[in-house]
Amino acid sequence: MKHLLRNMIGIFAVTLFVLLFYACEQDPQIKKYEYPMPEVSGMSPNIGYVSSQVVITGTNFGDRTEPVKVFFGSVLATKVLMCKNNRIVVEVPDGAASGDVTMQIWTNNVGVIGQYKVLPTPYVHSVVSDNLLGTGVAEEDDVVTITGENFGTDVNDIEVSFNGTSAKEIRLVDESTIEAVTPRDWVSGNVVITIRGYAMTGNALFNPNAKGDVTSVYLKNYKQPFAKANEESWKNGEWWTPADWIQNAVSFNADSSTTVSGMQYKAAEGYTLAFQHGWNKNRYANGKMYQQVKLRPGTYRLEVTYAYTKVLDGNFVAAFIVKGTEENDIPDTDQVTTLDGTKGVYAPYKTSIADGASGQLVTASFNLEEETDVLIGFLTTMNSGDNSYFKITEVKLVLE
């Protein structure tokens, strides 16, 4: 019996050894995969700036960005924006120098795929018009002077657009000065200068003859994704102070962990301007968040887009345009009805128990006969009932 048991154990051990040996021999064969050697047919452009995009064409690139390594000189591009079987898009990295561009995909070293010349990065310092009404005003056929650095020597490399409408004419005075003639029927907004595909946004200009959205001329940080004033966060990185918006002490009202209004981030919502009470937030009255601007003569209205909102009865939220320069020029909640269209206009939110409501607040028209200092923003009181919240995704100023 003992001999039988010993024989069985021996047979089992031998069998196990054979299986393990076979598995070790076969495993590399099972996992082994030979990636086809990529072939490059072109690279474009071969001259440009740090952060410009370069397109590489060819075959056998695969469809994953992770194994793609592109070097500009000795500097690895950290942003491979796209990889398809015949097309790779990569961003020229910081520190790149003129010279060879090399590439590797998986273990296949493709070697030199082209040459790239890195130009000094252009910058825009100012955008001013020769209009008699002011340097920030531009009508058709005005000459707008753009100053900066590293504009190059070939006017054919340069594009200028006025809020999306191409300039009527472009003149390159020197490497730091561009003159652009304003086109017909352009809409007030930012001037964009593009040199060899590198786009730069200059300051906004106002066309007094064009109606419509003039937000970018007057307001800052007015839509998602809203920008932070700084990196100081509240409540585990969920709340921040928004850039360019003024908050009164009541509106901010921060304790050690949270604030009742500001800029809030949630994954499903992104960054919003937000006002809340509940969730251990203090109740408050007459919170004011606003920007101070000088509006040119005309008739305006404010349109505020909100989402993810629930404001219960007893609380108050309104968007407003009010004449003035100081917080005290904004009426409190119980005096807001004094805004009769001469001092200002407002649009209140109708409270609701609906969770996650979305829509718009639109003020009445507000007419200004002359250039006027105004405050544009929000008046909120959150001191009643259970949790309430109002979240803004965009603020728009419209010239009628």
Side-chain angles (χ1 to χ4, degrees), residues 111-130:
V112 177
I113 63 172
Q115 303 283 318
Y116 191 83
K117 183 177 181 179
V118 180
L119 299 173
T121 303
Y123 296 94
V124 170
H125 296 321
S126 66
V127 177
V128 296
S129 169
D130 66 353

Side-chain angles (χ1 to χ4, degrees), residues 70 85 95 125 127 141 169 197 225 266 290 308 342 348 367 396:
V70 179
N85 193 49
H125 296 321
V127 177
D141 290 330
E169 181 183 348
K266 288 194 172 182
Y290 56 94
Y308 326 112
T342 59
N367 185 61
K396 182 183 292 185

Side-chain angles (χ1 to χ4, degrees), residues 325-366:
T325 59
E326 305 292 337
E327 175 192 333
N328 290 337
D329 294 317
I330 304 168
D332 290 342
T333 302
D334 60 355
Q335 295 294 315
V336 72
T337 55
T338 61
L339 296 179
D340 56 2
T342 59
K343 300 177 182 177
V345 291
Y346 74 104
Y349 176 72
K350 294 182 179 179
T351 56
S352 170
I353 61 173
D355 194 11
S358 61
Q360 275 195 331
L361 300 181
V362 181
T363 68
S365 300
F366 187 41

Side-chain angles (χ1 to χ4, degrees), residues 24 35 42 66 121 137 164 190 201 203 232 326 343:
C24 290
Y35 293 98
E66 312 95 278
T121 303
V137 179
N190 291 319
T201 302
N203 49 277
E232 181 183 31
E326 305 292 337
K343 300 177 182 177

